[in-house]
Amino acid sequence: MAIRANGVQFRQESPAPNIRGNDEVFYYLYDPNVDKWLSVQMETITLGRNASAYSGFLRSVNGILTTASFGPDIPHDGTLVALTASATNTPNNIGIRVYNNGNNIFQTNWASQDFSISTDVDFSVGNLSVDIRADIVPPTKPNYPIVQLYAKWRL
Amino acid sequence: MPVVGSGLPLRVQNHSAGGGPNVRYHHIWMPDVSTGLFLSNEKFMTECGRNASNYAGWLKMVNGIDMSLARGTILPWNGRLMYIVGSCRPLVPDYQADLLLYRNNSLVETFTSFFSSVAGGYTYWSTGAGAGVTYSAGDRFAAYVQHVPPPQNSVDYPLIRAFFVREYA
């Protein structure tokens, strides 16, 4: 059910896919900028690598190595709305590739550690992983990279 | 735009402060009656810890990345640190340690005896700490455990989780 108040539309719905029946309900807000219903709630996924001059897939808690088809499991469909990448060396080149269930859904090359708050990348229920590359010129690989993904659930 | 529903004023708006012109997403902002600030309804969390006993020093992020100066994650929006909760697995009955919070390589706050057996619990929680710490888009936080003698022991296996909100300004 959509509720309109002063031109703002809300919906109170179970997420998609609905794995908990009516036990789980989120508030969604229609965002005309991206033409999507996105949850008010936001999730953060953090991956990193405790190594200098690193290229490759990042690791999860306790050093679990992710791959294109293995990473933190995501219970619902959603949209990446922001991401950050940090490293300890300056300058550094950080090429970021995000995978969802084995598919490359996003990539960017940053000349240095940076952040984006205009990301608009959909993902499906399953898993997410991040591959760090330093294949742009000059290829200065990042030291001790950390990537944080910010996700909202999508109807 | 402010929205009034059941007497609760909300603001639903995208946010340009700290983000430049490319901000797309709308967010719900809730008024903080004590400060008059509009804070985002969504919180986000980052955690760090140290898998060591009697520890003093920098805490570590995912995969063991040390949060020493100039490290730590970047925050993408302006906002406030709402609170830090911390726990530990004490191996000895007497422990006490401060938690030092750094922002962009500078000490911004010291939480005295954040970890302490004096508090009487197996786990010490600090639910109010950090409420006044602000940050801007691009800032980085790091956390350090400082031993406070006596007693003789620092904290064992400290684990903290920091909860942030965005601020509409």
Side-chain angles (χ1 to χ4, degrees):
Chain A
M1 176 179 63
I3 301 171
R4 179 178 288 274
N6 288 3
V8 179
Q9 294 185 77
F10 295 92
R11 286 172 72 177
Q12 178 180 315
E13 303 275 359
S14 293
N18 182 356
I19 57 177
R20 289 278 301 171
N22 293 328
D23 290 351
E24 188 176 35
V25 176
F26 293 129
Y27 281 111
Y28 294 87
L29 181 66
Y30 180 72
D31 198 317
N33 294 315
V34 293
D35 190 23
K36 293 174 184 174
W37 288 92
L38 299 175
S39 66
V40 174
Q41 176 179 317
M42 186 168 63
E43 299 290 323
T44 309
I45 298 139
T46 305
L47 299 166
R49 184 66 173 100
N50 188 32
S52 58
Y54 185 71
S55 287
F57 279 95
L58 297 182
R59 294 179 182 245
S60 186
V61 61
N62 200 213
I64 297 172
L65 179 61
T66 64
T67 70
S69 56
F70 171 71
D73 225 30
I74 308 299
H76 309 299
D77 296 339
T79 298
L80 296 178
V81 299
L83 75 157
T84 72
S86 60
T88 60
N89 55 332
T90 303
N92 49 64
N93 298 124
I94 304 182
I96 302 170
R97 288 155 176 77
V98 180
Y99 292 83
N100 175 214
N101 299 329
N103 301 312
N104 179 210
I105 59 171
F106 173 78
Q107 66 178 39
T108 187
N109 288 325
W110 286 343
S112 186
Q113 60 187 21
D114 207 343
F115 61 92
S116 168
I117 55 173
S118 57
T119 313
D120 178 20
V121 178
D122 291 346
F123 60 84
S124 303
V125 60
N127 60 64
L128 288 174
S129 62
V130 173
D131 184 19
I132 285 282
R133 292 292 169 187
D135 54 4
I136 54 178
V137 178
T140 306
K141 295 179 180 178
N143 294 342
Y144 307 99
I146 300 175
V147 170
Q148 284 199 306
L149 306 175
Y150 295 82
K152 286 175 173 278
W153 306 128
R154 185 184 74 256
L155 280 181
Chain B
M1 69 188 67
V3 179
V4 178
S6 300
L8 181 65
L10 305 175
R11 181 184 293 270
V12 182
Q13 208 152 18
N14 59 9
H15 189 26
S16 59
N22 294 322
V23 179
R24 300 180 179 182
Y25 294 98
H26 281 179
H27 300 273
I28 293 179
W29 308 90
M30 305 286 287
D32 183 329
V33 293
S34 63
T35 62
L37 300 172
F38 274 85
L39 303 176
S40 66
N41 190 248
E42 70 260 51
K43 290 186 179 66
F44 51 101
M45 182 273 294
T46 189
E47 63 186 353
C48 56
R50 188 67 170 93
N51 186 34
S53 61
N54 196 23
Y55 184 71
W58 294 103
L59 295 182
K60 297 195 174 195
M61 289 285 294
V62 62
N63 193 218
I65 296 172
D66 197 313
M67 298 183 82
S68 57
L69 290 175
R71 298 187 182 183
T73 55
I74 294 174
L75 296 172
W77 297 290
N78 296 352
R80 285 176 180 257
L81 173 62
M82 292 301 283
Y83 46 80
I84 301 174
V85 293
S87 58
C88 61
R89 184 165 67 88
L91 302 179
V92 294
D94 299 320
Y95 62 95
Q96 188 174 13
D98 298 339
L99 180 69
L100 278 55
L101 183 69
Y102 287 78
R103 181 185 55 211
N104 300 336
N105 308 342
S106 298
L107 177 66
V108 291
E109 193 146 340
T110 298
F111 305 118
T112 303
S113 297
F114 187 88
F115 300 100
S116 174
S117 57
V118 178
Y122 181 77
T123 299
Y124 179 68
W125 293 76
S126 178
T127 54
V133 177
T134 60
Y135 61 88
S136 302
D139 282 356
R140 310 172 69 153
F141 279 104
Y144 185 92
V145 170
Q146 177 175 267
H147 184 202
V148 185
Q152 309 89 316
N153 302 294
S154 190
V155 65
D156 297 322
Y157 304 100
L159 173 63
I160 69 166
R161 311 176 85 210
F163 291 81
F164 302 89
V165 294
R166 305 171 54 198
E167 177 179 339
Y168 189 92

